[in-house]
Amino acid sequence: MTGRIVAGLEGVAKAFGGLRAVDGVSLDIPAGEVVGIIGPNGAGKTVLINLITGFYHASDGQITIADHNVTQWTLHQIGRLGVARTFQNIRLFRRLSVLENVMVANPAFTAHPLRGLLALSPRRQGRDEAMDLLALFGLADRADQSAGELAYGDARRLEIARALATRPRLLLLDEPAAGMNDRETEALVDDIRKVKPRLEAIALIEHDMSLIRALADRVVAMNYGRIIAEGATGTVLSHPKVVEAYLGQEES
Amino acid sequence: MIANLLSTENIVFTGVNILLAWSVYLTLMTGTLSFAMAAFMGIGAYVSGILTAKFGWPLVPAALVGTLACLAGGILVGFPALRVRGLYLMLVTTGVTLVVKVAIENIEYVGGVGGMGGLRGTTPELVLASVVVIGGALWLLSRTPLQRIMDAAREDENVAASLGINIVFIRVAGFAAGAALAGYAGALYGHYIIFIAPEQFDILYSVFIALYVVLGGVNNLWGPVLGAVVITMLPEVVREFGVMSSGFRSARQLIFAGALVLLLLVRPAGILAFRRLSIRAGRGRVPVGST
Amino acid sequence: MLAEQIANGVVVGGLYALVALGFTLVFGLLDKLNFAHGEVVTLAGFVALVAVQLGASVWLAIPIVIVVTGLSGLLIELLSFRAFTSKEGHSVSALSSFALGIVILEVVRLEYGAAPLNLAIPTTIYTSGISILGAPIPWVKLATLGISVVLMIGLHVVVGHTRLGRQIRAVGEAPTSAMLLGIHVTRVIQYVFVVASALAGISGLLIAMQGGFVSSEVGFTFALKGIAIMAIGGMGDLRGAVLAGLLIGIAEGIAIHYGLGGFSDVLVWLVMIAVLLIRPEGLLGGGRREVRA
Ligand SMILES: Nc1ncnc2c1ncn2[C@@H]1O[C@H](COP(=O)(O)OP(=O)(O)OP(=O)(O)O)[C@@H](O)[C@H]1O
Ligand SMILES: [Mg+2]
């Protein structure tokens, strides 16, 4: 398995007016790995994920996913290719129930919405699989609640469950532990380990270094839109440039 | 008195208005408020009218052809038009209604401004049956994954898209389905009033249909029904009970519009706001009153 | 004569521009679509009618109309806009203002009926004038053109270069931040509605003075064109609204010249659809707003 590239970026850049939020990033996410992406606030980590998932289109460079050049693809095309994500500022369908948030991601129907017309029974709609996912993230007894009512930690876990429901090959997590307490963060580490075998690869943005240490096989550090260090987790975290970048900017 | 309220005319008009309200509801489910319904109603009435009045077709197949014409029209209009949204889409669809009306006015074959006659065949039974069948279909729809996908697309279209949902397809489908239903309602309407003219498919009609739906609420498919029934029957009730005798037409619109302004004020979140939707999740337990 | 129709088109365009300016103010600055605007145009004519019937001269009627219609703007804002702040709020207020417009219209009709009524002003106001390119153009129409250009320039300066203008733009772009900056958001929105409605008042008055009669139909007719012209001009660009108003006036003149009179009424909407789909930011608009997906 290892060695094959799930997602590859080549000289990818994104400019907003004069600001180069991502500035020539080249990066491979190989199969079987969890890649940690770190960097101070405003480094361009979220923009990078937005580029990979098609929320933004690169001003320069090329993005390849599963051997397809997806640089100009639309959101749903990239989604169907098997890229799923969570959001730094949680974006659930707040007025749908917790269960529906997961069921709606069922690829049998997202790819062929009209086929949904023939699936009248909850079983054929994939309710059981959705409930399993919820159970995995400890949300089963909240299934009927509206997603907007969830506590912060629950909402973050529901986003991961929804992303997994698309049966992705690549999962991109944008600060999944933000706003969680230590106990919740530890549980999250376990959850991510549990679902790892379902995925080809994971990219994980995080400020919480304990999470990075626990999960990442490899770390990429960014600052000012560029990669400043890359390699084994321990090496990167103690790399002088990385230390300097974090010191130069007050951590939030 | 009640018997008078259940006159053939009232039943047909109420039924047609329910179908129209549902057509707005269908479109609205994908996040689109369309003012093009009068245009599609007109197209449905004219296309089916040509088939019955000029070619002697029976009503039902003619109405279905009218429906298909509107489905095609909805797709044709929807693809370019749905690139804009919100108030802009309101304007574009207003334009569609005005343009279609003038276009019909200039087609000599269907009588131009003068209109076209000889449309017959709509019975109260047919209207009632249509309401039941279409209502049943909408109810079934509300229990399918498609409904959930439309809800998600409306809530946050970018997130929905990144789950693999083709938003353009969903929105065009909703728009075209609404157009088709409006076309069918137009066919029934035209074949009841016998004589149709372009002025009947005016922009005001489009806005009124949207208002029916707003009045009733769009949280489920009964809201639009309620709105359509109240609005169609209100003036009849008023007339039956003799509250008003003169200036009747004007007073009807005045009461309706005034009530609407007040009602919207009472529900400031906007009756258009979709409440919790898990009623559709099919798990049984229905949580109440989150808004 | 083509030239004559074009000259006529220009002055009619001036009126369109004036109505469109009101829509543009509210939509462009506050992102709200006020469908009741057209019925304020109607209202203005009838306020003038009442004033004149009560013995006021035309010149006295003008400030009366401006004050009454300006105040109606407060009412419209209060009833149809203030409460609607949700995600769907824009559509709901648009519908609510449409209903409010119907209320205004039907109240007028209950009182005065649907038929046009003669406005007892000196006929010289709408007959005397000069000849331009062979078209007899009454002074009042020339004045209309002049007034809309002057108002456009004035508003453009106020919005672009004054403290109030900055506040208005701040409210339009980010009401919450504006509030945090200490701007009295409701007050600012009220200003815009008062000014826009007074503009509708002036338009309605000029329409009545151009014809010597008042009619409950004018509001709807002009509102439909005004909205489309606003969209063509750029949805928020005051200069665009005036330019588009004049262009549409001329285009209609040309259409009438070639015997396409019936077509001239939807011309503006065809242009609007084309503009919105091809260049949603309008003729002059900077494309600040997110129109598309
Ligand atoms: N849509 C946008 N328009 C303009 N600038 C943007 C946009 N999105 C991001 N930026 C800018 O790009 C830069 C990188 O932002 P990004 O969100 O990627 O940072 P980050 O590394 O995720 O930071 P954080 O850890 O705070 O989430 C920032 O300066 C940000 O202000
Ligand atoms: Mg970020």
Side-chain angles (χ1 to χ4, degrees):
Chain A
M1 270 296 267
T2 32
R4 201 164 58 78
I5 304 302
V6 180
L9 281 67
E10 255 184 63
V12 170
K14 176 70 188 175
F16 296 107
L19 172 80
R20 295 183 75 80
V22 167
D23 193 5
V25 166
S26 297
L27 168 71
D28 283 341
I29 302 180
E33 282 197 13
V34 177
V35 176
I37 302 174
I38 63 168
N41 294 122
K45 307 182 294 292
T46 299
V47 172
L48 194 69
I49 291 219
N50 282 336
L51 287 167
I52 298 174
T53 48
F55 276 75
Y56 295 153
H57 283 130
S59 359
D60 216 339
Q62 181 175 323
I63 302 174
T64 310
I65 295 170
D67 301 328
H68 296 275
N69 178 356
V70 302
T71 319
Q72 293 303 324
W73 283 25
T74 60
L75 282 168
H76 76 266
Q77 289 174 314
I78 295 177
R80 286 180 192 176
L81 195 55
V83 180
R85 66 173 294 181
T86 66
F87 297 85
Q88 185 171 351
N89 52 332
I90 303 170
R91 285 171 80 172
L92 291 167
F93 304 117
R94 297 172 57 86
R95 286 187 278 207
L96 267 62
S97 75
V98 169
L99 176 61
E100 282 178 301
N101 265 275
V102 178
M103 283 171 74
V104 77
N106 186 344
F109 304 117
T110 50
H112 311 278
L114 294 185
R115 210 176 272 175
L117 283 173
L118 300 174
L120 280 168
S121 75
R123 196 178 50 76
R124 293 187 53 196
Q125 294 176 13
R127 191 191 63 188
D128 299 343
E129 294 87 333
M131 282 306 292
D132 288 347
L133 264 176
L134 286 181
L136 189 68
F137 286 91
L139 292 165
D141 52 347
R142 302 220 183 283
D144 282 349
Q145 227 169 313
S146 94
E149 294 166 358
L150 286 185
Y152 212 69
D154 287 343
R156 286 222 176 276
R157 284 199 297 276
L158 178 55
E159 267 206 331
I160 302 177
R162 180 181 65 186
L164 286 170
T166 65
R167 296 192 205 123
R169 60 177 89 225
L170 174 64
L171 176 64
L172 305 159
L173 301 169
D174 197 348
E175 304 199 16
M180 287 190 179
N181 60 33
D182 287 351
R183 201 174 44 77
E184 284 179 314
T185 306
E186 274 170 37
L188 183 69
V189 170
D190 289 340
D191 290 340
I192 294 176
R193 284 199 177 123
K194 258 187 282 178
V195 299
K196 195 181 156 187
R198 301 183 182 197
L199 299 150
E200 288 180 19
I202 297 177
L204 172 68
I205 296 180
E206 198 40 78
H207 285 298
D208 184 334
M209 292 307 156
S210 68
L211 200 83
I212 293 284
R213 281 204 177 85
L215 291 170
D217 301 301
R218 207 159 60 86
V219 172
V220 173
M222 292 180 69
N223 200 11
Y224 299 114
R226 293 167 182 270
I227 293 180
I228 53 170
E230 185 175 9
T233 310
T235 334
V236 172
L237 291 191
S238 55
H239 193 288
K241 273 191 180 171
V242 177
V243 176
E244 188 196 312
Y246 270 96
L247 285 179
Q249 193 167 336
E250 206 70 348
E251 260 236 55
S252 55
Chain B
M1 280 181 164
I2 300 297
N4 286 347
L5 289 183
L6 291 179
S7 67
T8 309
E9 180 172 309
N10 282 347
I11 291 175
V12 170
F13 285 167
T14 306
V16 165
N17 282 334
I18 289 174
L19 295 180
L20 288 169
W22 276 338
S23 79
V24 171
Y25 165 77
L26 251 180
T27 332
L28 209 52
M29 263 193 309
T30 51
T32 304
L33 184 60
S34 163
F35 282 176
M37 289 317 172
F40 291 116
M41 218 186 141
I43 293 172
Y46 269 94
V47 169
S48 60
I50 290 170
L51 292 174
T52 56
K54 298 194 193 272
F55 293 95
W57 283 37
L59 171 58
V60 173
L64 290 179
V65 172
T67 307
L68 286 179
C70 288
L71 186 73
I75 294 171
L76 228 59
V77 173
F79 255 113
L82 292 170
R83 294 194 330 202
V84 297
R85 51 204 44 214
L87 297 175
Y88 296 81
L89 187 64
M90 227 183 227
L91 296 182
V92 170
T93 49
T94 301
V96 168
T97 296
L98 295 170
V99 170
V100 166
K101 181 182 154 210
V102 171
I104 298 175
E105 279 173 356
N106 285 294
I107 299 175
E108 275 315 310
Y109 180 66
V110 293
V113 189
M116 177 169 80
L119 284 67
R120 285 168 211 283
T122 299
T123 59
E125 290 79 14
L126 177 61
V127 174
L128 282 178
S130 303
V131 168
V132 169
V133 169
I134 290 163
L138 285 173
W139 181 79
L140 281 180
L141 169 70
S142 76
R143 320 193 66 79
T144 66
L146 181 59
Q147 172 80 55
R148 212 170 287 129
I149 284 174
M150 294 196 289
D151 293 340
R154 190 181 59 246
E155 279 254 317
D156 189 332
E157 59 174 44
N158 285 335
V159 173
S162 106
L163 294 176
I165 295 166
N166 183 343
I167 299 295
V168 176
F169 175 84
I170 292 294
R171 297 184 80 212
V172 172
F175 187 81
L181 185 48
Y184 181 72
L188 292 185
Y189 174 74
H191 287 82
Y192 181 74
I193 60 172
I194 298 169
F195 190 86
I196 53 175
E199 62 174 15
Q200 285 158 337
F201 307 105
D202 188 68
I203 178 65
L204 263 181
Y205 208 146
S206 275
V207 180
F208 274 112
I209 302 165
L211 288 175
Y212 293 153
V213 177
V214 172
L215 184 75
V218 283
N219 291 321
N220 56 59
L221 66 128
W222 304 116
V225 175
L226 183 75
V229 171
V230 169
I231 295 311
T232 327
M233 298 302 267
L234 182 70
E236 305 302 325
V237 173
V238 170
R239 180 161 55 194
E240 278 304 304
F241 293 88
V243 182
M244 233 161 283
S245 45
S246 66
F248 166 69
R249 218 192 105 73
S250 224
R252 164 190 174 171
Q253 294 210 359
L254 182 59
I255 292 171
F256 171 43
L260 214 117
V261 172
L262 294 179
L263 206 89
L264 286 174
L265 274 176
V266 178
R267 283 205 56 184
I271 296 176
L272 281 186
F274 279 73
R275 199 164 32 93
R276 281 232 30 209
L277 294 155
S278 57
I279 299 166
R280 295 167 174 153
R283 257 182 72 87
R285 202 160 67 80
V286 178
V288 234
S290 48
T291 30
Chain C
M1 289 309 293
L2 183 60
E4 192 178 329
Q5 290 295 2
I6 290 178
N8 257 321
V10 172
V11 288
V12 173
L15 206 47
Y16 293 165
L18 202 51
V19 178
L21 272 181
F23 279 112
T24 305
L25 263 187
V26 174
F27 192 95
L29 295 174
L30 303 179
D31 232 355
K32 297 172 194 293
L33 186 55
N34 175 16
F35 274 119
H37 193 74
E39 301 315 327
V40 178
V41 174
T42 302
L43 183 68
F46 285 86
V47 171
L49 181 78
V50 173
V52 170
Q53 281 175 350
L54 291 177
S57 70
V58 186
W59 309 115
L60 181 59
I62 294 173
I64 294 177
V65 167
I66 292 177
V67 169
V68 172
T69 52
L71 290 178
S72 78
L74 289 181
L75 197 69
I76 293 170
E77 191 274 330
L78 177 70
L79 291 177
S80 290
F81 290 88
R82 179 138 354 140
F84 307 114
T85 50
S86 70
K87 187 178 159 201
E88 292 89 352
H90 289 311
S91 306
V92 180
S93 15
L95 282 171
S96 172
S97 68
F98 196 99
L100 190 58
I102 294 175
V103 171
I104 297 174
L105 175 68
E106 296 300 343
V107 167
V108 167
R109 284 198 177 155
L110 272 183
E111 196 58 36
Y112 296 96
L117 295 174
N118 197 38
L119 181 66
I121 53 172
T123 50
T124 47
I125 288 182
Y126 48 91
T127 50
S128 73
I130 50 168
S131 168
I132 298 172
L133 297 173
I137 306 283
W139 291 118
V140 63
K141 291 197 174 175
L142 275 184
T144 305
L145 186 60
I147 288 170
S148 50
V149 171
V150 168
L151 284 174
M152 180 268 285
I153 294 172
L155 289 168
H156 191 74
V157 170
V158 170
V159 170
H161 304 280
T162 65
R163 209 171 94 86
L164 178 64
R166 270 196 302 280
Q167 293 190 343
I168 294 174
R169 280 178 289 141
V171 167
E173 268 163 43
T176 321
S177 338
M179 199 167 64
L180 293 175
L181 289 173
I183 297 174
H184 194 316
V185 172
T186 310
R187 180 77 40 81
V188 169
I189 293 177
Q190 283 176 327
Y191 281 139
V192 176
F193 270 89
V194 167
V195 172
S197 298
L199 279 179
I202 296 171
S203 326
L205 193 61
L206 287 168
I207 293 169
M209 286 168 69
Q210 286 189 7
F213 65 89
V214 298
S215 154
S216 58
E217 308 274 334
V218 294
F220 196 66
T221 315
F222 277 89
L224 278 184
K225 289 199 176 160
I227 291 176
I229 287 166
M230 163 192 76
I232 296 169
M235 290 292 201
D237 192 297
L238 297 166
R239 294 163 304 175
V242 171
L243 181 67
L246 295 178
L247 287 178
I248 291 299
I250 293 169
E252 285 186 2
I254 294 173
I256 290 170
H257 176 75
Y258 289 105
L260 298 167
F263 172 74
S264 81
D265 272 345
V266 285
L267 178 74
V268 57
W269 283 92
L270 283 171
V271 175
M272 187 210 75
I273 292 174
V275 167
L276 276 187
L277 297 184
I278 297 164
R279 193 181 148 77
E281 62 274 21
L283 290 183
L284 296 182
R288 152 173 89 78
R289 228 169 284 101
E290 258 190 51
V291 190
R292 292 188 180 181

